[in-house]
Amino acid sequence: MICKICGKENLFIFKAKILIKYDVSYFHCPNCGFLQTEEPYWLDEAYQDPINASDTGYLQRNITLSQKVTILLTLFFDKDKRYLDYAGGYGVFVRLMRDIGFDFYWYDKYTQNLFARGFEYKEGMKIEAITTFESFEHFEKPMEEIENMIKISKNIIFTTELLPSPIPEPNKWWYYGLEHGQHISFYSSKTFDFIAKKYNLYFVSSGSLHILTHKKISNFSLKALLKLTKFGLHKIFQKQLKSKTWEDYLSLSEKI
């Protein structure tokens, strides 16, 4: 099977049972470190509900990420520019960031926008940076999705769990998501280094939060700043911003 990232030949490594009934083959690329399933014929079934029922951390993750991203956007980017949450789900993150004071917009091909209605991304908008959380592992055509994002902005802040080394067996890593069948693409730091080099970007990473960017940001700076979230650094920056909650209410009320 051909690697969806670098185009080299993949190696079969194991089979795993997805959705408790499909025996699916997994292939690993020795060139770029990417792990992928065979062509995912089960996705229509897996996405009967786009946000899987076992994702109990959905709301808490969005709250925590809003705090971390507040720090990143204030220190590394222009906080007054427009931002896009790509594969934004129900729009929770966009609403949180607008409540903080950032001009965020929403885009998702598969999920209904419930919380950020009226702030959908329109083609041609100038975007300072993209956020996209827990989406890379869902990409059936990862390079196509990445190129779509890079056309919008060369700054992408995202989360996904990096593939451990050695590669865990199917029953030894929860992130395979065998029970819901939606995770089909898995990346190592080597994979993202390959992607960054291909598009002339930098890759920086701290835990499961990563950035592909044209800016020079050190791993040390990223890790140090994210640790300060625990001490409330984001609250200091939030005081410098004006929430858009009331402004958005007035704007939407006029449209209605």
Side-chain angles (χ1 to χ4, degrees):
M1 191 170 185
I2 299 301
C3 175
K4 292 182 178 181
I5 299 296
C6 69
K8 301 293 185 180
E9 188 69 30
N10 273 341
L11 303 176
F12 168 82
I13 57 168
F14 58 67
K15 279 184 177 285
K17 194 171 289 292
I18 283 182
L19 294 172
I20 320 177
K21 56 181 174 181
Y22 300 118
D23 289 320
V24 173
S25 297
Y26 286 68
F27 299 86
H28 181 246
C29 179
N31 181 58
C32 72
F34 183 64
L35 176 70
Q36 66 191 63
T37 66
E38 62 182 275
E39 288 304 316
Y41 55 84
W42 60 91
L43 287 186
D44 285 345
E45 184 176 346
Y47 281 102
Q48 288 180 3
D49 186 351
I51 306 297
N52 73 76
S54 63
D55 190 2
T56 55
Y58 186 82
L59 285 178
Q60 185 56 57
R61 181 171 65 249
N62 277 277
I63 293 168
T64 301
L65 284 168
S66 71
Q67 297 168 355
K68 293 180 177 180
V69 172
T70 292
I71 295 173
L72 299 183
L73 299 190
T74 303
L75 292 180
F76 297 135
F77 302 97
D78 186 338
K79 67 181 186 299
D80 298 318
K81 293 290 183 64
R82 285 176 176 159
Y83 293 90
L84 170 63
D85 195 31
Y86 188 95
Y90 295 138
V92 172
F93 186 76
V94 170
R95 187 64 263 163
L96 286 171
M97 295 307 287
R98 293 191 69 84
D99 289 344
I100 290 169
F102 293 101
D103 194 13
F104 254 83
Y105 293 83
W106 172 96
Y107 172 79
D108 196 307
K109 290 186 286 187
Y110 304 107
T111 310
Q112 183 182 2
N113 178 10
L114 298 179
F115 295 98
R117 285 177 291 179
F119 300 100
E120 292 80 8
Y121 168 75
K122 294 178 177 59
E123 189 174 350
M125 278 184 173
K126 290 186 177 180
I127 299 296
E128 172 76 352
I130 288 172
T131 57
T132 184
F133 303 123
E134 298 307 297
S135 60
F136 271 68
E137 62 278 2
H138 295 260
F139 290 158
E140 186 175 0
K141 298 177 179 179
M143 294 305 279
E144 183 178 304
E145 296 282 3
I146 291 166
E147 287 178 4
N148 285 341
M149 285 188 276
I150 289 174
K151 288 175 184 176
I152 298 170
S153 174
K154 291 186 177 180
N155 301 307
I156 305 169
I157 302 166
F158 63 102
T159 61
T160 193
E161 295 292 331
L162 294 179
L163 183 66
S165 182
I167 297 171
E169 295 176 10
N171 62 342
K172 297 289 178 66
W173 195 36
W174 67 276
Y175 208 63
Y176 289 129
L178 304 179
E179 74 282 358
H180 56 71
Q182 295 180 2
H183 290 188
I184 57 175
S185 298
F186 307 92
Y187 312 74
S188 66
S189 57
K190 182 179 179 181
T191 312
F192 286 123
D193 284 337
F194 175 90
I195 293 169
K197 185 176 181 181
K198 179 179 175 67
Y199 296 106
N200 197 27
L201 300 173
Y202 299 99
F203 171 62
V204 290
S205 177
S206 176
S208 62
L209 191 146
H210 323 285
I211 307 177
L212 285 166
T213 178
H214 67 89
K215 297 174 179 283
K216 288 187 176 181
I217 301 172
S218 72
N219 280 304
F220 176 81
S221 297
L222 180 63
K223 290 176 181 178
L225 288 169
L226 292 181
K227 284 182 179 179
L228 291 176
T229 307
K230 297 178 181 178
F231 301 99
L233 179 60
H234 60 284
K235 295 179 181 178
I236 297 173
F237 294 138
Q238 285 178 16
K239 290 179 180 178
Q240 302 170 15
L241 296 161
K242 182 183 177 182
S243 172
K244 294 184 179 295
T245 309
W246 181 248
E247 174 188 324
D248 289 352
Y249 166 75
L250 293 175
S251 174
L252 292 170
S253 296
E254 286 182 7
K255 291 178 182 178
I256 294 170

